[in-house]
Amino acid sequence: MTRDWWESLPPAQAEVSCGDKKHRLRWERGKLTALDHPDTEEELVLAALGGDRSECMDLIEAWGSRSDDLEVLAAGPRDTADELAIGTGPADGLSSGWVAYAPLSARRSRLAQARRQAALLAQAMGSAGARSQARRRTTVRSGFSAGFAGTGRAGLLAGGRNPARSEAERAWARRKELFGLLVLGPPFQRRLSATVAAAWADGGSRAAGRDAARPALTAALTGRLAPAARDWLGIDPNLVDATVHEGDGWGRLSVTGRGPGRRLSAAFPLTWLASVWAGGLAVTAGHLVVTVTDVSWPEVAVLAVPEPGTEPVPLTVTSTATGWIAKRAEQRAEQ
């Protein structure tokens, strides 16, 4: 049975400033809505015709415009414990703002480390991304809001739509638009990444153009499987190779070599990013989850590989306040 990619992801909600008020944005069933704007469609039409823009509508419109944007996968988190640092000043040659990763465990200056990794991310965003590094947690560097002051009531996101601006200004406004979505927080970062992955997966709006985007999609898949392989088997993230699986089935998985030289090779469909990785299910109960088979929230049925060289086994996964717990479906049936 074909399932919607978002079924394994629970709703997420954030509070944002909209004018002089605090409003609520909610993601549910694959869609972002503004709870305090009951006439969203009408507001979007009026804004497109030159009417007043609200910050909530800017965010809703930006989410829609970025729903198939590969830059989201290049800039977004690789792991559920990513630390996403966002800045607005120059960093190693990036003069129009930057986004970088920095592990919480590092003793050195977080900003200095983020600037060094910003250079790596600059290459990644130009060449479709790089492989994941150490475990990271997601946060936003202080001073972000001040860096975008002066954009007016139209807000930070509307600037990219001004045709009178230079190409460089439009490019920077577009990057700020992406940053404006990333600062909604980790749950929204993962769901936006999932939305993009689903757009390029089989049946998605961009599936027909996947061949041209394959390098970027391969990098996005590898970069998110790498930390999962590290957590599952302690494999060096640099020794993980992944390709996009085409056709039916969950894909393939193999581990070769021994000790620190073990290498993992895999082929997963892009729905793995959307429904498994984005839901924090990649490694559960010591298994590498390869696909979601059924959802009856808070229970999710999955297929998962217990160890290299074995076939996937069914697990029933339950969401709890402390994370996912799981047991084999056959054990559940015996009880």
Side-chain angles (χ1 to χ4, degrees):
M1 180 182 296
T2 301
R3 310 203 66 84
D4 290 313
W5 62 268
W6 41 259
E7 290 186 45
S8 59
L9 304 178
Q13 191 163 306
E15 189 176 74
V16 299
S17 296
C18 187
D20 57 356
K21 298 179 180 179
K22 293 290 186 180
H23 283 176
R24 298 160 298 161
L25 292 180
R26 183 176 177 85
W27 182 96
E28 188 171 15
R29 300 172 64 85
K31 184 178 181 181
L32 184 68
T33 58
L35 298 181
D36 300 293
H37 293 259
D39 297 321
T40 298
E41 295 298 328
E42 181 179 345
E43 285 193 52
L44 289 173
V45 170
L46 291 175
L49 295 175
D52 289 340
R53 307 190 64 93
S54 70
E55 285 81 351
C56 286
M57 291 303 101
D58 282 336
L59 286 164
I60 295 295
E61 189 171 356
W63 188 281
S65 70
R66 293 286 182 161
S67 62
D68 60 359
D69 189 349
L70 294 175
E71 188 177 20
V72 170
L73 297 179
R78 272 60 169 174
D79 194 358
T80 55
D82 268 358
E83 177 175 2
L84 193 61
I86 299 175
T88 59
D92 292 340
L94 285 175
S95 59
S96 58
W98 50 272
V99 55
Y101 304 106
L104 272 179
S105 58
R107 294 179 181 273
R108 61 181 66 112
S109 164
R110 183 177 300 173
L111 178 57
Q113 185 179 41
R115 283 180 172 172
R116 279 190 292 274
Q117 295 198 28
L120 297 177
L121 186 67
Q123 297 173 357
M125 293 178 76
S127 63
R131 287 177 178 161
S132 177
Q133 300 179 32
R135 176 173 292 274
R136 296 155 297 206
R137 220 173 272 244
T138 307
T139 187
V140 178
R141 189 168 72 85
S142 61
F144 177 84
S145 298
F148 295 133
T151 55
R153 173 149 171 55
L156 138 73
L157 303 173
R161 293 179 279 273
N162 185 349
R165 291 189 168 205
S166 69
E167 184 63 30
E169 289 177 316
R170 287 196 297 272
W172 172 220
R174 183 165 171 78
R175 179 162 293 182
K176 288 194 294 184
E177 179 181 80
L178 174 58
F179 290 175
L181 294 173
L182 294 178
V183 297
L184 290 175
F188 289 87
Q189 293 165 8
R190 294 194 296 272
R191 283 158 178 76
L192 181 58
S193 297
T195 302
V196 174
W200 293 90
D202 288 346
S205 61
R206 300 299 300 275
R210 191 161 60 212
D211 284 345
R214 193 167 298 278
L217 295 170
T218 298
L221 184 61
T222 302
R224 288 159 177 83
L225 179 60
R230 178 204 57 215
D231 295 344
W232 182 41
L233 297 175
I235 291 179
D236 183 345
N238 293 310
L239 298 180
V240 174
D241 296 298
T243 58
V244 177
H245 174 68
E246 304 286 354
D248 296 334
W250 62 265
R252 60 174 175 80
L253 180 71
S254 65
V255 177
T256 58
R258 295 183 178 180
R262 282 191 299 179
R263 179 179 293 274
L264 182 145
S265 298
F268 286 163
L270 290 173
T271 49
W272 183 86
L273 290 178
S275 60
V276 175
W277 171 83
L281 287 164
V283 179
T284 302
H287 293 59
L288 182 69
V289 176
V290 296
T291 191
V292 172
T293 58
D294 197 11
V295 179
S296 181
W297 196 258
E299 289 190 343
V300 179
V302 303
L303 290 179
V305 179
E307 58 186 34
T310 62
E311 291 297 315
V313 298
L315 295 176
T316 298
V317 180
T318 303
S319 178
T320 71
T322 58
W324 294 100
I325 59 173
K327 60 182 176 181
R328 295 192 183 200
E330 58 264 36
Q331 291 175 338
R332 183 185 179 197
E334 291 174 0
Q335 297 175 356

